Amino acid sequence: MTEYIDIYTKDHIRTGRRVPRTAHLKIGEYRLIVHVCLFNAENKMLIQKRSSRKTSFGGFWDVSSGGHSKAGETSTVAIHRELLEELGVDYDFRPVFPAMTVNFTYGFDDYYLIDLDLPQSSFSLQAEEVEEIRWASREEILQKIQEKNFVPFHPSFINLLFDIHEWGQDFLRT
């Protein structure tokens, strides 16, 4: 079955057009991608090892969860679905907004940073998407990037995710 995505303007407004997820977009057409980074009480991020069967970065480590929004989905609906499908976590994103949006040539990527202090045993992995999970420190993730077995995020971006999360925690304490 073909999965469809919405096409957006550069201002993040749906155009009303839908295309297959695998379609190559034209200049001026944009897609929405979502990611969530789960952090525990030790300020470690849950990372997932992507299924080796995936064509895009199969067998690489990645942030907690993410993917394309499907046609008709808002950002929060899409990230709720992705987290539930990939890791079996039913989290209420209604009061949450993305910590940041990263723009790229053909779209934008909403990043959610969530505190969720759960043992690894409480997650239910979707085998088609995820082979393994673990809680990892900033340094461990940066090491995996250096070893080229993590999705090729720039180290400064990983640092930014941790810094924004830590700033949020400091802000809540004041």
Side-chain angles (χ1 to χ4, degrees), residues 6-172:
D6 289 314
I7 299 295
Y8 293 80
T9 69
K10 70 176 180 64
D11 295 317
H12 302 216
I13 299 169
R14 286 190 191 128
T15 65
R17 289 191 50 241
R18 294 177 175 185
V19 298
R21 181 177 161 232
T22 56
H24 293 283
L25 302 186
K26 301 173 191 160
I27 299 294
E29 295 181 331
Y30 305 93
R31 68 180 67 223
L32 172 62
I33 297 176
V34 293
H35 282 92
V36 63
C37 300
L38 303 177
F39 289 90
N40 68 11
E42 297 174 6
N43 196 36
K44 291 185 174 185
M45 183 192 300
L46 187 80
I47 59 174
Q48 65 159 280
K49 187 172 186 183
R50 296 167 59 87
S51 168
S52 298
R53 297 184 300 264
K54 293 187 71 69
T55 56
S56 175
F57 300 109
F60 280 66
W61 287 92
D62 197 353
V63 298
S64 306
S65 183
H68 287 81
S69 67
K70 293 180 179 180
E73 289 182 329
T74 63
S75 177
T76 52
V77 168
I79 197 57
H80 176 265
R81 176 186 48 76
E82 288 289 346
L83 185 59
L84 187 58
E85 285 176 358
E86 292 183 5
L87 302 178
V89 175
D90 188 5
Y91 188 86
D92 182 8
F93 282 91
R94 287 177 299 181
V96 181
F97 55 89
M100 72 174 129
T101 299
V102 177
N103 298 306
F104 58 96
T105 305
Y106 292 104
F108 22 89
D109 199 336
D110 284 347
Y111 279 83
Y112 293 84
L113 308 181
I114 304 294
D115 290 312
L116 193 67
D117 200 19
L118 295 173
Q120 284 182 220
S121 61
S122 61
F123 294 93
S124 177
L125 309 185
Q126 181 185 28
E128 302 82 33
E129 296 281 336
V130 181
E131 289 183 2
E132 184 181 344
I133 59 168
R134 64 180 293 252
W135 292 103
S137 68
R138 177 193 309 235
E139 294 74 22
E140 290 169 316
I141 294 171
L142 294 174
Q143 181 66 36
K144 287 186 176 304
I145 291 172
Q146 185 176 2
E147 294 167 353
K148 300 194 184 315
N149 61 10
F150 203 93
V151 171
F153 286 105
H154 196 282
S156 63
F157 184 71
I158 297 298
N159 281 320
L160 181 62
L161 292 172
F162 275 87
D163 289 347
I164 290 172
H165 176 256
E166 290 169 8
W167 176 82
Q169 294 306 301
D170 290 344
F171 183 76
L172 291 174

